Structures are given as C-alpha cells and as structure tokens.
Amino acid sequence: MARATIPIIASQATKRSDGECQALLAVATPEMFRGNAFRITGLPVDATPREITKHADKIKMMEELGQGKSVHTGAFALTTPPTVDQIREAIQRLKDPEQRIIDEFFWFWPRQFGQSASDSAIKALEGGDADTAFDIWTALETSPSDGHVAMHNIAVLRHLMALEWENHYTKTGKFTSEKKTEIEKLWRGAFKRWNLLAVDDLFWESVTARIKQLDDPRLTSGFTRRMRATLPHALDKINAELAVRYAESGRMDMARVHVQFMRETNQGLDNIEKTAELVLTPASTRLKQQIQRAKERDANSPNGTVDAVRELLDHARRTLSLFELFFGKESEARNDLSDEVATLCNRLQLDYHKATSDDQTCLATLRAILPFAVSPDLRQLIERNISVTLAKVALAPIRAICEEAATAVEANPASGEKEAHRILCATSPLLPQLSSSGLSQESINRAKDEIAIALLNCAVAFGNKTDNWKPCVSILEESLQLAVDSDVKERVTRNLDTVRKNNTLYGDLLPISSAPSLSTTNGVGFALYGCTDQEPTSGSHLSTYYFVFFWIPVFPICRYRVASTGNGYRFFGKAPLRTFDKWHLVISIGLIIWLVIAISSASNNPNRDSYTPSPSVSVPAPRLTDAPTPPTPRNYTIPSTSTAPQSFTAPSSSGTSDRGTYRVPSYISEELERDSLAIESEKAKAVGLEHRLDNAKRTLDAEQAKAEEFENQVTQLNAQVDSARRYLDRSSQVDVDDFNRKVNRYNAALATVRAQNEKTNRAVDSYNSILEEVRAQNRAVNQLVDDYNTKLRRNGR
C-alpha cells in the first residue's frame, strides 16, 4: 500500500494568480472591522489626503499633550480606544491605495463621495444611532440610482454587528438561544445583500469610479476586477476561520453553522474547497511539525515514544475534525492525512514494544490508533497487531503459570504431578474469561494448547523421574481434553498411549535400584520361578523370587516383572506376593519350625541310637551361576550379562574322621598339596577381580543415573522449544531472541547428554571387560578343582 501524505496546502504567495486580490484575502478575517483604518481613526471614507495629514498632525499634538486617546471618535468607536501607535499605523495604511480601497469597501459610504459631513445616515452612526442609519438606508435600498450604496451600507452594518457578537462569543462562550437566532438573522441579512452586490454591475462601477477619483497611479483598472472575483472567496474565508476557531475550542455545533453559511452563500461564485485549504494551512503545518517531532523523539528515545504518539493523535484528532468539517468523512485529503498519522503511530508503537515489551501500553495505543486508519490494508494490519497484542495480554497470566511450572519441573522433575494439578487449578477460572475479553477463538485455542503442552511436560518429567505412571495417565487425559491443534493432540495421544502401557507394566510395581542376586551354590541360593501376567508388547511376565534349597523353592520373597534376555533377565520392578505365595511362605516356615522341634525332641531322647555318617568320597567342585542382566540404559550400549562370583571352599588332600580316612601315596600328597596351593592362589585372584567388578558396577550405576537425569532435562527443553516454536511471533525480535536462547540451552544439554552417553558406554565396556575376566578366572578355578578331585579319587584308597 502506498504511503499516504499530508495534502500540501500552498501559501498565499505560491497560490497567487492574476484574477485574485491578495490584499482583500489578507483583510478578510473575523477581525476585519476591528482593524478597519476608518473605524480606528474615526475618519470618513471620503477623507482627502489633506484631511488625513491634518488628522495625523492632530494626533501628534494630542500625544505631546498627553491626550492621545481623546481623539478617537466616529461610527462604531471601539470600546477600548486604540492606542496612538494603532492610529498612526491605520493612517499609514490609508496612504496605501489598495489598503485604502479595501478599508473603504468594508466601511460606510455616503450617498455622494465628498459629502460625508452632510450625510444624515453617517451623522447618525457617528452619534451612535445605528437604528436611524439603518432605517434611512432601508428606505433608499430600492432606489434605482443609488440603492446599491444603501444596500452596501446595510451589508456592512449587518456583517459588522454579526462579527462583533461572534468575537464576543468566542471569548465568553455565553450565548442564549434568542441571541443565537438574532445573530443568525444578522448573518443572513448581510449575506443576502453581499450576494446581490457581487453581481451588481452598477455597484462595481461605483467602486471603479471611486478608484479613478483617488487618482493614484498605483491603482490600476484591474484592481476592481480582482476585487469582484475575490469577494465571494474572501467572505467565505471569514466564516471558514470562525468555523476553525469554534472547532478548535470544541464547539462543533457553531462550527457547522458557519460552514453551512459558506455553502448557502455565493453559490457558483465561490470555491469552498479552495477557501478551506487556505484556512487549514496553519493547522496542516502544525500537524506536519508534530509528526516530525514524534519521529525525532522516537529516534532519540524509543522508551518515550508512546507519549509522542498520544500527543500526535490528540493533535491529529483536532486537525482531522477540521478537514472532516469542510470536506466530509469521505474526503480524500482527510483520509490520506489520517492514514499517514495511523501508519506512523503504528510504527512508533512497534519501536516502543521492541524497547520495553510493554504489551498493556501497546494494546491501549493500538486501540487509540485504529480509528485513524482508513484504508482497508492499514486497518487490517492494525487490527492484526491488536489481536496479537491482546492475545499476549490476555494469555500472559496463563503463560506465566505454565512457565513457572516448567521452571519448577526442570529443577525437580518429581514435582511434575503437583505442578500439573496447580496448572489445572490456576487456569480453570481464567479460560472462561478469555471469551468475554474479546479474544479471538484462535487465541483461545492457543491458550488451551499451551496449557495442554505444559501438562504434557509435567507428566513426561514426572513419569521418567519416578516411574510412577498412574498419575501421568489422568494428567495426560486432562491435557488431551484441552488440546485443540492437531499436532498437539497427536503428541499428547502418543505419550498417553506410552504412559498407559507403562502403567500396565509398572503400575503396581515398586522401582528397584539394581537387579537381585540369582546365584546358587550347590543348589542353595536364589532363583526365579513361574511365568504369569504376560505382556506381549514388552515380552515381560511376573515371576516369583524364591530362596531355594537344593534347587527346591522354599521361601517366596517377592515377585518381579521380568523379560528374558537369553542368558539373563531384564527387571522392570518389584510386585507384591500373591495370596498363594503367602500361604506357601507360611507353610514353609511352619514345616521348618516343626522340623526344628522334632529334631530337638529327638536329641533329648536318651534311648536314641547313635549314627556316624561316612565321609564323602570327594569334595564337590563349586560352580558359578550367571546373574541376571543389569537394567538396559536408554541411550548407551547394553552391557553384557553380569554375574556375581561365588566364594570357593578349598579342597584338602586328606581328611580324617572316626570311621574312615582317604590314604594316598606321599608323592601324590605332595602333588595334591601343590594343586591345593594353586587353587587358593587362583581363588585369591578371583576375589580381587570380584572387588574390581563391584567398583565397576557402582561406577556404571552412577554414570547411568547421570545419563537419565540429563535425558530428562533434554526432554523438558525439547518440549519447551516445541511450544515456543509453535507460538513464536517472528515479527517480535524479543520473542525471537527468547526462542534462540531456549534452542541454545537445548543444544547445550544435548551435547552434555552425548558426552555423558560416551562416558557411560566407556563404563559399560570397562564393566563387561572385568566381567569377562571374572568369568575366565572362575572357569580356571573350577578346572583346577575338577583336576584336584580327579587325582584324589584316582589315587585314594
């Protein structure tokens, strides 16, 4: 859209043409009669140059005597007598032929020039009897020979009286309705006669004759022609200036009256638009100056731009009312000027917003600017700015609640459930208020989406941190009800499905920090039995964790949800025992108690037969049982299945008892002794490797915990970036900078996660390496034990 410009109203000098009397236009003001040289000096219009000089000498003499004010006499003498300087200036104007003719034109003429002293009507005026003069002229007005002189004098009299009352009213503002009616009659009486005189050839011949009578070479024959052509324009100019004065003082009713006078009079002879342009030149100039000052204030201090905008709008409102008064609301000049002011003010408020981010003030400013915008494109632009700013203001409380919750969750992910409930409680009463605030449905939907995303972030952070998924289900269901945008709905739905699956897997499970031991020694230890409540997606099931004795499950300790990894298990969490398991535990404990009581009773029986068991033929070799696989890290390499190495019992080369003894040759005994020492040495190495494995496991757990914490931070930052990107105002540099800061935080956190994952993978590799060493060492120990037992059986007797 092309930028509107203030209509250029030329000055009097640039608009002068041959057919226009500039001297007459300059005199045509509401103070025209107050500045009339004949009224100020008291001289008649037909005063000769000698009488003017004599009057000037008289003023000088009276001034020297200190009585300068006493010389002021004549028709319609001013209430406040003019000063000597004013009288002297008036006399100087009378010496200018053009000025004199114009002042004569707007003063009272005698029936015959040169006979003012004997003119009865003039004498009545000088005596203050205007009514008698009016009656005399009314009687002569229809005379074919000199009726035009009487009509001219009545027009001047009515015009003078009307302006006297108008000037009084503009100062006091006190008019009764009767007085207004009387003044309107004066105006119409004057206009009626001026309209007739403007086209009366006899009247203008009298003006020409008067010019010739003055016989001044500075007056040409064309002066009468220019006066005749300019008179309607000059008369309109008087009413136009009165209209401007009334409009600027807030009295638009009186201003419209004078515009109406302009439209009713001199029809076909005047040019109202041209006259309006002339009287509006000062107002247009002041507005252009105000626009320039606003631009300079914006360049020097954007923070104070709003004050400049308010001042400019106030000034423009008054100026535009003047254009509307003369040209109407659909005037191109008025609309172009209004659009320029609106365009500049809209740009200034944008500069202010960039400097302060003060949405409230900018919203009020935009609403003040909108009535000035006329062109559809400009109105649409400002209305869009209002809509965006209104959304920011209306959504600010909701956005603050969501951002505060995001900050709290970022610092403490476990507070996600509490923050989600706080968001719902705080925003529930705010959402209904958005519709009544005039906010668009699009902005209301945006508010709902922001709340939905904030709830989603709370649920994700809480679930990942605590593995307590049940509260997350209800939070995400609330989020899904609020979500409007299809992308937001899709994200919430996807996470809700995941949370529901996790709730199915982990809902009744207690989190565990590490996998339990599944090792046994000679059939004594811990093992998993059973497979119930299978979950196809994860391939997991519930198994009971037993203490086993000779591979017989004796005591059910708890239940775990696990998934087989081939050579071990992945543990999801701990579940409570079933009723069946509790009965099993009670029965096992009861049997043990009964057995203890039975053995105790038997040992106290004196008739009990003694029995000495035979020694075992060989020392059984201890074997290792693999422990389950550690929990799988999320973003790093899955470690190999771990094992908890068992302690060993060193075999002996000989054993004694009351009933039998192994006997071997001495050379074999020495060899067995060396083998036994070798077994102890390898066992010591195995113990050392076990300690290293324990340290590596602790290091791995610590690195895994750090990795999970960093992953949670990245997830939260990613959600914040997604939310910010969706509602990013790309026209606001403040919003763009804030979005870039969030992206930088996300990238920095992502780099930290990658570095931590590499560190965790190194810890996993170290753990797996040591684990392989432990397994190899255990195999070596077991092999030595097997060799030892084989020698013992072969050589024993």
Side-chain angles (χ1 to χ4, degrees):
M1 181 185 71
R3 183 177 180 182
T5 58
I6 293 180
I8 302 300
I9 300 177
S11 65
Q12 293 177 8
T14 59
K15 288 187 70 66
R16 176 166 183 160
S17 65
D18 291 339
E20 195 171 68
C21 182
Q22 294 297 317
L24 178 57
L25 285 176
V27 169
T29 69
E31 289 76 25
M32 177 176 63
F33 293 106
R34 286 180 174 271
N36 190 284
F38 294 101
R39 186 180 187 185
I40 292 174
T41 60
L43 292 169
V45 294
D46 53 0
T48 63
R50 181 179 178 183
E51 289 174 335
I52 294 173
T53 302
K54 183 178 178 181
H55 192 71
D57 293 339
K58 184 179 178 180
I59 290 172
K60 183 177 180 182
M61 181 182 66
M62 296 302 292
E63 182 180 8
E64 291 174 354
L65 295 174
Q67 300 176 358
K69 293 185 179 180
S70 63
V71 300
H72 181 256
T73 58
F76 284 96
L78 295 171
T79 304
T80 303
T83 64
V84 173
D85 289 338
Q86 289 174 327
I87 297 174
R88 185 178 292 111
E89 290 174 2
I91 291 175
Q92 284 299 118
R93 284 204 304 275
L94 292 177
K95 295 179 180 180
D96 184 311
E98 289 188 359
Q99 290 287 343
R100 172 165 182 160
I101 285 296
I102 292 172
D103 281 3
E104 282 185 11
F105 187 87
F106 288 108
W107 203 241
F108 304 102
W109 294 356
R111 293 183 68 181
Q112 293 291 330
F113 274 87
Q115 298 180 11
S116 291
S118 60
D119 191 290
S120 58
I122 299 297
K123 298 299 289 183
L125 282 179
E126 290 176 351
D129 189 359
D131 291 339
T132 298
F134 177 76
D135 292 339
I136 294 172
W137 290 326
T138 303
L140 296 172
E141 194 173 11
T142 56
S143 171
S145 59
D146 55 2
H148 62 275
V149 174
M151 185 182 295
H152 164 267
N153 288 340
I154 293 174
V156 171
L157 177 63
R158 288 287 187 255
H159 211 157
L160 183 152
M161 294 177 67
L163 282 175
E164 287 293 297
W165 280 111
E166 294 287 356
N167 287 325
H168 170 76
Y169 182 55
T170 55
K171 292 179 180 179
T172 63
K174 298 178 181 178
F175 260 1
T176 62
S177 58
E178 293 80 6
K179 180 58 69 176
K180 289 180 182 178
T181 303
E182 181 181 343
I183 294 172
E184 186 173 340
K185 288 177 63 178
L186 291 173
W187 279 113
R188 295 192 183 282
F191 292 145
K192 175 183 176 181
R193 290 164 176 84
W194 285 126
N195 288 345
L196 294 173
L197 293 171
V199 295
D200 189 337
D201 294 337
L202 185 59
F203 170 73
W204 290 106
E205 288 176 2
S206 298
V207 175
T208 302
R210 177 57 181 164
I211 291 175
K212 291 179 179 179
Q213 188 179 12
L214 290 176
D215 193 23
D216 192 314
R218 289 174 292 180
L219 283 176
T220 65
S221 59
F223 189 72
T224 302
R225 185 182 67 252
R226 290 197 299 272
M227 282 187 64
R228 183 173 183 174
T230 306
L231 179 62
H233 185 24
L235 295 176
D236 282 347
K237 179 173 176 284
I238 296 172
N239 292 102
E241 290 192 3
L242 283 172
V244 169
R245 291 183 186 180
Y246 281 122
E248 289 179 341
S249 63
R251 291 304 308 268
M252 295 301 296
D253 55 338
M254 294 299 298
R256 294 188 188 96
V257 168
H258 285 278
V259 173
Q260 187 61 30
F261 286 156
M262 294 172 61
R263 299 188 187 282
E264 291 177 356
T265 59
N266 302 307
Q267 294 182 7
L269 301 176
D270 58 358
N271 187 332
I272 295 177
E273 286 73 19
K274 181 178 179 181
T275 304
E277 289 180 359
L278 180 62
V279 298
L280 291 178
T281 297
S284 297
T285 302
R286 290 194 299 271
L287 183 58
K288 286 189 286 186
Q289 293 171 347
Q290 191 74 22
I291 289 175
Q292 185 59 35
R293 282 196 293 270
K295 292 178 179 178
E296 292 172 355
R297 290 180 64 177
D298 177 56
N300 295 331
S301 177
N303 289 344
T305 300
V306 168
D307 293 333
V309 169
R310 293 194 185 104
E311 293 174 7
L312 177 56
L313 291 178
D314 289 341
H315 200 102
R317 189 176 292 108
R318 294 192 295 270
T319 303
L320 290 173
S321 67
L322 298 178
F323 275 81
E324 185 176 328
L325 177 66
F326 290 102
F327 301 115
K329 288 186 177 180
E330 302 305 321
S331 159
E332 182 178 354
R334 185 261 182 206
N335 292 344
D336 286 348
L337 175 59
S338 186
D339 274 345
E340 178 171 5
V341 171
T343 300
L344 175 62
C345 290
N346 181 56
R347 182 175 65 79
L348 294 180
Q349 72 84 23
L350 287 175
D351 292 342
Y352 173 80
H353 187 269
K354 289 179 181 178
T356 64
S357 299
D358 185 356
D359 292 323
Q360 289 279 7
T361 300
C362 288
L363 177 61
T365 304
L366 284 167
R367 284 173 170 167
I369 295 171
L370 182 61
F372 290 85
V374 178
S375 69
D377 290 343
L378 182 58
R379 285 192 65 85
Q380 185 177 7
L381 172 64
I382 296 176
E383 286 172 350
R384 185 164 62 249
N385 288 341
I386 289 176
S387 177
V388 171
T389 308
L390 176 61
K392 288 184 178 180
V393 172
L395 300 184
I398 292 176
R399 188 163 294 164
I401 293 169
C402 294
E403 289 179 353
E404 183 179 347
T407 302
V409 170
E410 184 177 358
N412 181 18
S415 66
E417 180 184 10
K418 181 183 72 174
E419 292 299 324
H421 290 306
R422 188 175 69 83
I423 291 173
L424 289 171
C425 292
T427 58
S428 294
L430 296 179
L431 283 176
Q433 298 174 7
L434 297 181
S435 299
S436 60
S437 66
L439 204 62
S440 65
Q441 189 60 45
E442 180 183 358
S443 298
I444 295 174
N445 292 343
R446 188 186 311 163
K448 292 181 178 180
D449 284 336
E450 287 197 26
I451 299 173
I453 291 174
L455 293 174
L456 170 63
N457 294 337
C458 290
V460 169
F462 177 77
N464 287 336
K465 181 65 176 178
T466 64
D467 288 331
N468 184 8
W469 302 103
K470 188 172 184 179
C472 299
V473 175
S474 60
I475 294 172
L476 290 179
E477 287 174 346
E478 293 282 356
S479 175
L480 187 59
Q481 290 181 2
L482 288 168
V484 178
D485 183 79
S486 58
D487 290 340
V488 177
K489 282 185 175 181
E490 193 274 333
R491 287 177 56 191
V492 175
T493 301
R494 187 173 64 250
N495 282 277
L496 181 57
D497 292 341
T498 301
V499 166
R500 283 171 174 164
K501 291 177 182 178
N502 287 343
N503 186 49
T504 300
L505 292 174
Y506 304 101
D508 297 327
L509 302 180
L510 296 176
I512 58 175
S513 58
S514 60
S517 172
L518 292 180
S519 62
T520 58
T521 302
N522 295 330
V524 179
F526 300 92
L528 288 173
Y529 285 91
C531 177
T532 62
D533 298 315
Q534 296 184 7
E535 204 285 312
T537 303
S538 63
S540 65
H541 61 272
L542 287 175
S543 290
T544 305
Y545 184 60
Y546 283 96
F547 170 75
V548 297
F549 188 76
F550 288 108
W551 294 281
I552 299 174
V554 179
F555 296 117
I557 300 174
C558 63
R559 304 183 82 210
Y560 288 102
R561 178 167 288 279
V562 297
S564 176
T565 60
N567 58 351
Y569 295 94
R570 178 187 175 192
F571 285 76
F572 292 86
K574 182 188 294 186
L577 290 172
R578 299 167 296 179
T579 302
F580 168 79
D581 298 319
K582 294 176 182 178
W583 278 109
H584 185 171
L585 180 62
V586 170
I587 292 171
S588 297
I589 294 175
L591 288 174
I592 291 173
I593 293 174
W594 176 81
L595 185 58
V596 170
I597 292 173
I599 293 173
S600 176
S601 300
S603 63
N604 292 330
N605 187 351
N607 298 320
R608 180 180 62 86
D609 294 333
S610 61
Y611 171 75
T612 301
S614 299
S616 179
V617 175
S618 64
V619 179
R623 298 291 181 187
L624 297 178
T625 303
D626 288 341
T629 305
T632 304
R634 294 182 183 172
N635 293 314
Y636 37 80
T637 306
I638 299 177
S640 303
T641 302
S642 64
T643 185
Q646 304 297 315
S647 59
F648 296 92
T649 302
S652 58
S653 58
S654 62
T656 60
S657 69
D658 294 339
R659 301 293 300 270
T661 304
Y662 285 102
R663 300 184 183 278
V664 296
S666 59
Y667 68 90
I668 295 299
S669 297
E670 293 176 0
E671 186 176 342
L672 289 175
E673 187 65 28
R674 288 193 301 272
D675 290 345
S676 177
L677 292 175
I679 291 172
E680 291 299 330
S681 175
E682 294 303 321
K683 284 175 59 179
K685 291 181 182 179
V687 171
L689 289 173
E690 289 174 17
H691 289 313
R692 286 180 58 196
L693 186 63
D694 289 341
N695 292 335
K697 182 64 168 61
R698 284 191 292 271
T699 300
L700 176 59
D701 290 342
E703 297 302 332
Q704 288 176 340
K706 289 181 182 178
E708 290 181 358
E709 182 179 355
F710 292 152
E711 286 173 15
N712 291 336
Q713 293 178 5
V714 167
T715 301
Q716 295 168 14
L717 290 173
N718 184 39
Q720 293 177 14
V721 169
D722 289 344
S723 175
R725 181 183 292 110
R726 182 176 303 281
Y727 305 110
L728 176 62
D729 182 3
R730 301 183 185 274
S731 64
S732 171
Q733 189 61 41
V734 176
D735 287 358
V736 172
D737 292 342
D738 182 60
F739 175 77
N740 288 336
R741 285 193 293 273
K742 290 181 180 179
V743 171
N744 292 336
R745 287 199 298 270
Y746 170 79
N747 290 335
L750 188 61
T752 303
V753 167
R754 290 169 177 167
Q756 181 61 36
N757 286 343
E758 292 177 359
K759 189 175 181 181
T760 304
N761 286 333
R762 289 195 296 272
V764 170
D765 292 340
S766 176
Y767 176 84
N768 288 335
S769 176
I770 298 173
L771 182 60
E772 287 301 319
E773 293 183 35
V774 169
R775 288 174 174 172
Q777 186 63 29
N778 287 340
R779 288 194 293 270
V781 171
N782 287 333
Q783 185 62 47
L784 290 175
V785 171
D786 290 342
D787 293 344
Y788 179 90
N789 288 334
T790 301
K791 288 181 182 180
L792 184 62
R793 286 193 297 271
R794 186 173 57 247
N795 298 291
R797 55 184 187 273

